[in-house]
Amino acid sequence: MKAALTFNNVSYRYPDSQEMALKGINLTVTEGEFVGIIGPNAAGKSTLCRAANGLIPHSFSGDLEGDIYVNGINTKEKKPAQLAEYVGLVFADPEAQLSQMTVWEEVAFGPANLGIPREEIFKRVDLMLGLLKIEKMRDRSPFNLSGGEQQKVAIASVLAMEPRILVLDEPTSNLDPRGTAEVFAAVKELNKKQNITVIMVEHEVELLAEHADRIIFMDHGQILLDGPPGEVFRQVELIQKTGMNIPQVTEVAQILDKEYGVWGNKPYPVTIEELYACLRNN
Amino acid sequence: MKNITLYQPGNSIFHYCDSRTKLVLILCFAVLAFLYFNPLIPLALMLVVLVLNVVATKSYALTNALTKLFLIIILFFLVIHGFTNPLGKTPAVFWGHPLTIPFFGTYTLEGAYYGLTFGFRIATVALITLLYVSTTHPIEVVRGLVKLGLPYNFGFMILMSLQLIPISNREAKTIISAQRARGLVEHNLWEKLKSLVPLFVPLVVSSLERMETMAMALEARGFGYTEHPTQLHEVKFTARDIIIIASAIILLVIGLVLRFKYGRLSWIDHLNSWGNIFWPG
């Protein structure tokens, strides 16, 4: 398996801050993985995202130690605009990422910036609009769409540059449950069908547990837990101590485990289907 | 979303022609309007431009604030110049009497001639510009200007700010509502003005925050990767554009030839009645 993104002992401090935002992060994400990152506020999740596409150190000053490799390229050597071909970054505020007059132009904006020939851009935009199921809105202004639709436009516009890695920084925090479900479904499909590596920072642990292959739990700039959802969410006390939630299914599983000792050393179930399957087998 | 530009969608010939064609049109009409010193030719040009406006945007051409404003400005010029213009020497006759205002002097025919000339000239230029902005989508305006040499980044900035106005507007409304909910009461103009001060800080802070995300999002999408990003829309002159430009230039050339052959066509020195202003007597 090829590594898509590698953090090599990365530490970072923002220029106006005393505390380190990232402390000795070592992380390797392999191609095609769906990684969910959870953690309380100021855990360093957004900083990790910004470091992944070179915004840190190019647009933020401050002290960066260690190296970050995207597809084998050291991010110190290329600007974010150049890294955009490899890593796409989607932000929390859907509206602040959009800038064009129509959805079509919005999606075409990225590849046009890369100087890709027109015919190729036309093809890519049609493909992306289809992939995210937003063809019907192609001539509408992105500012007149719902939050979920806007976020899908933002994702499509990032993907039109054909990055192999998609980093999403709390993409659903401004969305209603329906918009959230839409974004998750779209990202999941991209991950499975296009084999795009996904790194997603989220507070929606239920949905993340359901979709992600791997969960990373961060606090105070460090990675505390890293593994499949069932194993990470087993560490209920550690996670709940920081004020974070774990999936309700996992909470139920924990209670059952304490009372009856059903799971032993096996990972906890994280979705209703898994819990149901487990209970049936026992 | 409230329309913040003067653009009126439509499908007239002016909507379909290149924005640069319309700039040529503006230039030709502006030169023609200032070529001669009499009210007749600028009036004719103004009427032609008004007709073009009506063709392009129908009733909007006559009902919009700018057209009205410039019709008022012509009247304003007519009155002010009539009383104050230093060229004035022949008193105008109103039902058998000259009209005099203390401190200003007598209303003169030369003043009226001068005022009308300038009023029509300015209205011509204003209305041909209105034709440009009301038939050209802001994005086309910027594209045309970029083609003419405006830096791409600068054009992008203009478009971006156009997008931001409605968002900031909405944000300001939210902040004002929040402050009213916490007991902000504005009884009079002074209190309304004072209430703008607490509005200012949160609005600036939230705008700056959005700017930060926006800057990151633009970089994440390759803005600034090359000096020459792909032009998504081909801006091309068509036969339509060439016909419009050619006729405008022919008109301009005829105007210039006449100007050099016959002079400014001014009859301000031979005024003796109202009718004289529009036709040499």
Side-chain angles (χ1 to χ4, degrees), chain A residues 191-253:
Chain A
N191 175 243
K192 286 287 154 283
K193 292 200 179 149
Q194 313 286 320
N195 199 34
I196 287 173
T197 313
V198 175
I199 296 166
M200 192 178 203
V201 173
E202 256 303 332
H203 287 295
E204 286 282 338
V205 281
E206 310 270 343
L207 283 165
L208 206 54
E210 186 185 331
H211 293 295
D213 311 319
R214 176 178 169 193
I215 299 282
I216 289 173
F217 174 67
M218 288 183 73
D219 197 12
H220 297 298
Q222 286 170 309
I223 294 179
L224 298 186
L225 300 170
D226 182 354
E231 278 175 24
V232 168
F233 289 120
R234 235 188 124 90
Q235 308 290 328
V236 183
E237 281 82 19
L238 186 64
I239 295 174
Q240 284 183 337
K241 205 170 65 188
T242 62
M244 295 288 298
N245 293 326
I246 59 164
Q248 286 180 330
V249 173
T250 318
E251 272 184 275
V252 173

Side-chain angles (χ1 to χ4, degrees), chain A residues 56-275:
Chain A
I56 293 172
H58 294 288
S59 298
F60 291 85
S61 47
D63 320 320
L64 178 75
E65 281 163 34
D67 291 299
I68 303 151
Y69 295 94
V70 173
N71 270 9
I73 301 160
N74 192 329
T75 58
K76 281 178 185 162
E77 282 153 23
K78 291 219 173 180
K79 290 214 161 105
Q82 294 168 309
L83 286 166
E85 288 174 273
Y86 309 101
V87 196
L89 183 54
V90 177
F91 297 87
D93 186 351
E95 214 166 51
Q97 319 171 45
L98 306 171
S99 56
Q100 304 295 298
M101 292 280 174
T102 67
V103 168
W104 187 92
E105 285 166 3
E106 192 68 57
V107 179
F109 179 69
N113 281 333
L114 299 183
I116 287 160
R118 270 156 50 89
E119 290 67 32
E120 169 71 14
I121 294 179
F122 283 39
K123 259 193 280 172
R124 280 196 197 182
V125 174
D126 284 341
L127 185 74
M128 289 307 148
L129 293 175
L131 219 57
L132 274 300
K133 304 191 177 63
I134 46 174
E135 310 97 321
K136 278 187 194 143
M137 306 152 201
R138 59 182 300 148
D139 293 322
R140 284 174 62 190
S141 162
F143 294 92
N144 293 339
L145 304 176
S146 76
E149 290 165 344
Q150 283 183 334
Q151 202 59 290
K152 285 204 280 186
V153 173
I155 294 174
S157 62
V158 161
L159 284 178
M161 291 182 288
E162 300 196 331
R164 295 305 302 157
I165 308 167
L166 182 61
V167 183
L168 306 107
D169 187 2
E170 299 187 25
T172 68
S173 61
N174 287 7
L175 306 184
D176 56 4
R178 188 178 159 178
T180 304
E182 282 176 1
V183 167
F184 263 98
V187 171
K188 181 76 175 179
E189 199 173 303
L190 291 168
N191 175 243
K192 286 287 154 283
K193 292 200 179 149
Q194 313 286 320
N195 199 34
I196 287 173
T197 313
V198 175
I199 296 166
M200 192 178 203
V201 173
E202 256 303 332
H203 287 295
E204 286 282 338
V205 281
E206 310 270 343
L207 283 165
L208 206 54
E210 186 185 331
H211 293 295
D213 311 319
R214 176 178 169 193
I215 299 282
I216 289 173
F217 174 67
M218 288 183 73
D219 197 12
H220 297 298
Q222 286 170 309
I223 294 179
L224 298 186
L225 300 170
D226 182 354
E231 278 175 24
V232 168
F233 289 120
R234 235 188 124 90
Q235 308 290 328
V236 183
E237 281 82 19
L238 186 64
I239 295 174
Q240 284 183 337
K241 205 170 65 188
T242 62
M244 295 288 298
N245 293 326
I246 59 164
Q248 286 180 330
V249 173
T250 318
E251 272 184 275
V252 173
Q254 188 210 15
I255 294 164
L256 289 173
D257 196 29
K258 271 189 183 153
E259 286 189 15
Y260 307 103
V262 259
W263 274 281
N265 289 326
K266 276 188 292 176
Y268 281 168
V270 290
T271 62
I272 294 173
E273 290 78 25
E274 280 177 35
L275 180 65

